[in-house]
Amino acid sequence: MRQHAGELVIETPGAGLHDFTGRVAAFVRESGIRNGLLTLFLRHTSASLVVQENADPDVLADLQDFFRRIAPEGARYRHDAEGPDDMPAHIRAALTQTQLSIPVRDGRMTLGTWQGIYLFEHRARPHHRSVAAHIIGE
Amino acid sequence: MRQHAGELVIETPGAGLHDFTGRVAAFVRESGIRNGLLTLFLRHTSASLVVQENADPDVLADLQDFFRRIAPEGARYRHDAEGPDDMPAHIRAALTQTQLSIPVRDGRMTLGTWQGIYLFEHRARPHHRSVAAHIIGE
Amino acid sequence: MRQHAGELVIETPGAGLHDFTGRVAAFVRESGIRNGLLTLFLRHTSASLVVQENADPDVLADLQDFFRRIAPEGARYRHDAEGPDDMPAHIRAALTQTQLSIPVRDGRMTLGTWQGIYLFEHRARPHHRSVAAHIIGE
């Protein structure tokens, strides 16, 4: 039994869902661990992680609409020093995930056929986002 | 230290919260691992996992009402090829969990007294749902 | 490779976000494990875990406002035996997290600069909350 750790830096072009499944699969491969547990932890509070359908891009657009509507920029927030997109970003992050763990079998994540791993950027402008990655197994 | 992996297939009768705590407890038992970490990963994007109260079924009915109201079928979505219940299902899944990890002590999950593990089916029709299960420990 | 388990009991003074990052860091330190994976599991369904910004307390106040608005006490619920704050608590818990895993490197959690670990108490009155803690690594 052994473990491997690293960091994935994702450059987001602005608000939206960015598929980085390939980056995670590469991390799993380079670990050499064939069976075990992979964990991703996003080191930010105005972006988040979600597993969603990677077949129809309309799903991603509808998801973004929903989160825009439920936590809109126009609402009145105390916290607005960093701009109108800041507090909605924290709320949308609280409603989704900061962390994700996925079992690994035979060198591959046990994702379903249509599942992709997304970094959900909630800020309007491009950001550097850091994801701590960890895998344990054999 | 060792690990054990498997797959739990859950047949859902349609939309609603389905308690499968007993199935997970059986997986922990059959692993023979007494102390460690259990992880469940749902391999679908239109259903989700939640830990909720298993004492009063009204809690589950109220939860379902809430998610129906917050992500209704009647809203206008781009993604509707699979029916009016499809996009609300993706939204409700994004708002809850795809994955769950629970420490195991003395052969049992460290669930609280009133906690059950639920598969939250968001589609109207019955589905086969696959949960990747993993436990590591000793 | 080895593991360490324990329980953190958090006394909440009533509804709100309570930072217990220091308690978790102490658990990691006392485990003696320098590199590995930490998991926290909250053993209750009317409170939850969130990772949020620890710099500006306004973020926490705005978050609380949001969850009060989205799952208000005034709505009509079937489940109300324990008071008007009970069912909103379950909904707010379902929308956030029951569990959290964080990679540990060089004896420290890989939290971002502004990230704190919060117990989000959703009930109005003070409660004892139990968090199962687990760390595996070396």
Side-chain angles (χ1 to χ4, degrees), chain A residues 110-129:
Chain A
T110 53
L111 289 168
T113 316
W114 310 111
Q115 282 182 316
I117 305 172
Y118 292 87
L119 197 155
F120 197 169
E121 176 61 71
H122 302 300
R123 299 301 306 270
R125 290 214 249 167
H127 275 77
H128 302 254
R129 299 301 194 176

Side-chain angles (χ1 to χ4, degrees), chain A residues 1 35-37 52-53 56 58-59 61-62 65-66 70 95 97 99 101-103 110-112 115 138, chain B residues 1-3 6 39 41-45 70 77-79 87 90-91 94-99 132 134 136:
Chain A
M1 196 81 69
N35 292 285
L37 183 68
Q52 267 296 336
E53 179 181 311
D56 179 1
D58 281 351
V59 170
D62 283 334
D65 281 354
F66 172 81
I70 204 174
L95 289 171
Q97 325 298 323
Q99 168 262 325
S101 293
I102 307 175
T110 53
L111 289 168
Q115 282 182 316
E138 50 204 341
Chain B
M1 197 79 72
R2 60 193 190 78
Q3 56 185 349
T39 298
F41 180 82
L42 179 63
R43 306 178 68 219
H44 308 273
T45 60
I70 205 175
Y77 302 111
R78 293 173 186 82
H79 178 78
M87 195 56 222
H90 289 293
I91 293 171
L95 290 171
T96 48
Q97 324 298 324
T98 297
Q99 168 263 323
H134 176 270
I136 185 167

